[in-house]
Amino acid sequence: MCGIAALQLRNPSLHPRMGSLLSSMLCQIVDRGPDSAGLAVYDTPGLVSDGTSTVSLLGKHHGMEIDGILTSLNDMLSPDARSTVKIIGDTTLISAAVPTALLVKAVGETLPASTIIGRGEHVAVMKGVGHPMDIAAHHGLESMAGSQGLSHTRMATESAVTASGSHPFSVADDLCLVHNGSFSNHATVRRNLEREGVVFDSDNDTEVGARYIASRLQQGDTLEEALINLGKVLDGFYTLVVTTADSMAVVRDPIACKPAILAETEDYVAMASEYRALAALPGIERARIFEPEPGKVYTWSL
Amino acid sequence: MVTLMAPDATAPTSDSSTDVRPGSDAGDTTTDLDTASVRDLNQALHDSVGAASWTVTKPGGKHSLAVGITADVDVTIEGHAGYYAAGMLQKGRVTINGNAGVGLAENIMSGTVHVRGDASQSAAATGHGGLVVIDGNAGARCGISMKGVDIVVGGNIGHMSAFMAQAGRLVVCGDAGDALGDSIYEARIYVRGSVASLGADCIEKPMRAEHLEELGALLAAAGRSEDPSDFRRYGSARNLYHFHVDNSTAY
């Protein structure tokens, strides 16, 4: 079992409440995965900003002082990039006014032993091991604003209970994936992707799904096409939620082994593993509530 | 009306006629699940005696509401229920004025469960008896392994419904998903709309007078107005009952 709660806020007046709403949803799915958790938040002031790329790093200790990191980045990117380093809970966020790929390269060379868990101009990704609400509180989710938020509580099956095995997996710019279920042929798909030059950060089956989607998107698929292709290549049980800079997608495996329920209003689209995570959302009594059909890809754009 | 607040609500111990207690037959009891726990609600329902009437407010999608009832009570849940609502019902009537999550009325023995909205997967799974009415749609695996329960769905049902069904009747006023009645034993299935596909050993069968009659009675019991003659009947071809001699060379 794992738990998922995701929220896309269509009405900008709700953006200041993103963190508190997502936190209230997360609270209701803790039972489904109490061992570890992760969060992705989009367009959160103070974490990301327009015209700037941000890289999220697992952990707050990287064997180098913040000044040393900044000196290295300034050498590589020029001081005009205005590089910054922030510690949020157990996550390090490094930002600079350069293209994301360039920042990823500079961070990778500066801190070769660190794991990049998020990248892009809009998203910040945070992960940890322990009680999901402790992880959320430690990172200050409650007070975060934003346009979209994605959370996952994990009950590990296919790989170890580690922060790097927590979801979401964010392996391309502003792209995040969370997964309830398990992929049974992930080792085969992993080998095929590795042959194409894809590099993995963990032994996790969901990372294979994320890297597969990123690979398809790079080859020109739309998000919907990438998820349809995923259904043809990856075998197993899954409810997946994928977020990008401005969209959210939900898909369940064709046998519908894993739950999902959606609530849609003019103000938001919310997805959760169970209805109780949606019960406290504003205007839920007027929302269109439905379970996604098995094997059908649903997408919503901001 | 009283509100059950105290966590130590128990069965009435006196015959005092002035004291309205949860579970007494002195009227309607309201339990607000914003304040009371599900455990308290279920314990009070288990302890109730007589023809009590219960209203459950603010269910908030909580799981296991009104499960294991053995008394002749009427329970109305005002809102959406989570997983396993009205499971193992042995007596009484449970009405959900909202949607129900996975495993509605699982292993129901008798009594009636009525959902005014939609039900998620595995509704009335393994049910031995009683009646489960879903006004909206039901998800996948509705009536899986049903053993005698009657199910009436006003809308559509998902794939693999009535999988390995052994006894009982499943009535679908809308459409049925893929693999309806796969590996079915002896339950009878009535579908008014389309069937995406039939499962292994499930076939269409003729509607005879006794089927129109039993379907009419089921629709009436569910408070529905569909015409029984608009339905088709499906059931077991009984080809999976016995070992097939052609397979003997496989050993």
Side-chain angles (χ1 to χ4, degrees):
Chain A
M1 226 164 38
C2 289
I4 299 173
L7 186 61
Q8 180 184 75
L9 295 171
R10 294 165 158 172
N11 183 344
S13 71
L14 282 175
H15 286 191
R17 293 173 63 191
M18 191 280 295
S20 61
L21 293 173
L22 189 65
S23 184
S24 77
M25 295 170 73
L26 179 66
C27 174
Q28 294 294 328
I29 55 163
V30 167
D31 296 355
R32 299 185 60 90
D35 66 35
S36 49
L39 305 162
V41 294
Y42 285 78
D43 300 314
T44 300
L47 303 188
V48 297
S49 56
D50 278 345
T52 304
S53 295
T54 298
V55 167
S56 308
L57 290 176
L58 193 64
K60 55 186 172 184
H61 302 298
H62 302 280
M64 191 187 277
E65 293 298 319
I66 289 178
D67 288 348
I69 297 171
L70 286 172
T71 303
S72 169
L73 292 174
N74 286 338
D75 286 349
M76 276 187 259
L77 300 174
S78 112
D80 293 342
R82 298 186 309 281
S83 300
T84 60
V85 177
K86 277 181 225 138
I87 309 293
I88 309 285
D90 285 326
T91 305
T92 306
L93 299 178
I94 300 180
S95 304
V98 294
T100 302
L102 191 58
L103 180 61
V104 167
K105 189 164 181 286
V107 170
E109 286 177 16
T110 304
L111 303 168
S114 295
T115 304
I116 293 174
I117 56 171
R119 48 183 285 175
E121 294 184 17
H122 300 273
V123 73
V125 178
M126 297 151 273
K127 300 182 182 190
V129 170
H131 194 287
M133 293 316 288
D134 290 343
I135 295 166
H138 195 47
H139 286 91
L141 173 64
E142 185 79 28
S143 59
M144 287 179 188
S147 58
Q148 298 188 110
L150 181 60
S151 63
H152 185 270
T153 61
R154 182 166 184 238
M155 189 174 280
T157 56
E158 300 297 295
S159 65
V161 180
T162 58
S164 68
S166 300
H167 306 203
F169 283 92
S170 178
V171 301
D173 292 6
D174 294 318
L175 177 77
C176 287
L177 169 70
V178 296
H179 176 197
N180 173 198
S182 58
F183 293 124
S184 47
N185 63 338
H186 63 97
T188 309
V189 178
R190 176 190 297 264
R191 279 194 296 276
N192 291 340
L193 287 169
E194 280 173 342
R195 255 182 239 119
E196 292 168 17
V198 174
V199 177
F200 286 81
D201 292 330
S202 73
D203 296 327
N204 187 279
D205 59 324
T206 304
E207 187 186 352
V208 178
R211 300 245 175 231
Y212 178 80
I213 292 169
S215 162
R216 293 303 316 181
L217 292 174
Q218 203 176 14
Q219 291 169 54
D221 276 10
T222 62
L223 182 56
E224 187 172 356
E225 288 164 348
L227 285 168
I228 291 168
N229 282 318
L230 178 141
K232 294 174 186 165
V233 169
L234 276 156
D235 198 5
F237 309 142
Y238 52 87
T239 290
L240 302 175
V241 181
V242 182
T243 45
T244 67
D246 59 1
S247 57
M248 180 168 103
V250 175
V251 65
R252 300 169 78 190
D253 71 71
I255 302 175
C257 284
K258 296 295 176 183
I261 188 159
L262 283 146
E264 195 172 1
T265 74
E266 286 180 357
D267 294 334
Y268 59 81
V269 181
M271 178 275 174
S273 298
E274 299 174 17
Y275 172 76
R276 57 185 172 146
L278 307 175
L281 289 174
I284 190 69
E285 57 286 346
R286 296 185 304 280
R288 176 182 166 236
I289 295 169
F290 63 102
E291 294 189 336
E293 299 272 336
K296 183 174 168 186
V297 178
Y298 295 77
T299 58
W300 297 267
S301 289
L302 280 170
Chain B
M1 302 261 284
V2 296
T3 302
L4 173 61
M5 303 279 285
D8 58 349
T10 52
T13 51
S14 72
D15 56 359
S16 163
S17 57
T18 55
D19 192 5
V20 180
R21 290 165 185 264
S24 74
D25 55 6
D28 191 66
T29 308
T30 295
T31 301
D32 186 335
L33 289 179
D34 258 355
T35 47
S37 75
V38 173
R39 198 172 284 258
D40 295 337
L41 167 70
N42 285 331
Q43 189 63 56
L45 286 169
H46 296 171
D47 293 339
S48 65
V49 291
S53 167
W54 295 74
T55 301
V56 178
T57 55
K58 303 282 180 63
K62 291 189 168 81
H63 299 331
S64 305
L65 299 180
V67 296
I69 296 174
T70 55
D72 187 26
V73 294
D74 277 293
V75 181
T76 303
I77 297 171
E78 296 291 357
H80 303 309
Y83 290 11
Y84 311 122
M88 302 175 285
L89 189 76
Q90 195 176 320
K91 267 188 187 172
R93 290 148 301 278
V94 177
T95 303
I96 300 173
N97 286 322
N99 300 327
V102 173
L104 167 77
E106 190 178 60
N107 217 54
I108 179 174
M109 304 304 285
S110 60
T112 304
V113 175
H114 187 176
V115 176
R116 306 241 185 229
D118 296 333
S120 185
Q121 300 184 18
S122 304
T126 78
H128 287 250
L131 174 66
V132 177
V133 178
I134 298 157
D135 290 350
N137 301 315
R141 296 176 273 277
C142 178
I144 183 170
S145 197
M146 54 193 282
K147 295 174 173 68
V149 66
D150 290 327
I151 307 168
V152 180
V153 181
N156 306 325
I157 58 171
H159 63 268
M160 294 297 278
S161 288
F163 176 59
M164 296 191 84
Q166 292 142 60
R169 285 87 53 97
L170 169 62
V171 178
V172 185
C173 299
D175 302 329
D178 277 312
L180 176 69
D182 192 285
S183 305
I184 186 173
Y185 290 78
E186 281 307 311
R188 289 189 289 284
I189 305 173
Y190 299 98
V191 183
R192 184 162 176 267
S194 66
V195 175
S197 66
L198 291 172
D201 211 32
C202 184
I203 56 169
E204 186 176 347
K205 294 185 166 186
M207 281 288 255
R208 294 193 296 266
E210 71 261 35
H211 303 118
L212 290 168
E213 189 185 339
E214 86 165 354
L215 176 57
L218 285 165
L219 289 166
R224 301 205 64 88
S225 56
E226 281 82 1
D227 181 350
S229 63
D230 290 341
F231 287 72
R232 291 162 176 258
R233 180 169 73 102
Y234 303 89
S236 177
R238 302 189 178 101
N239 286 325
L240 295 179
Y241 269 44
H242 308 291
F243 181 73
H244 201 288
V245 72
D246 289 351
N247 293 325
S248 61
T249 56
Y251 298 93

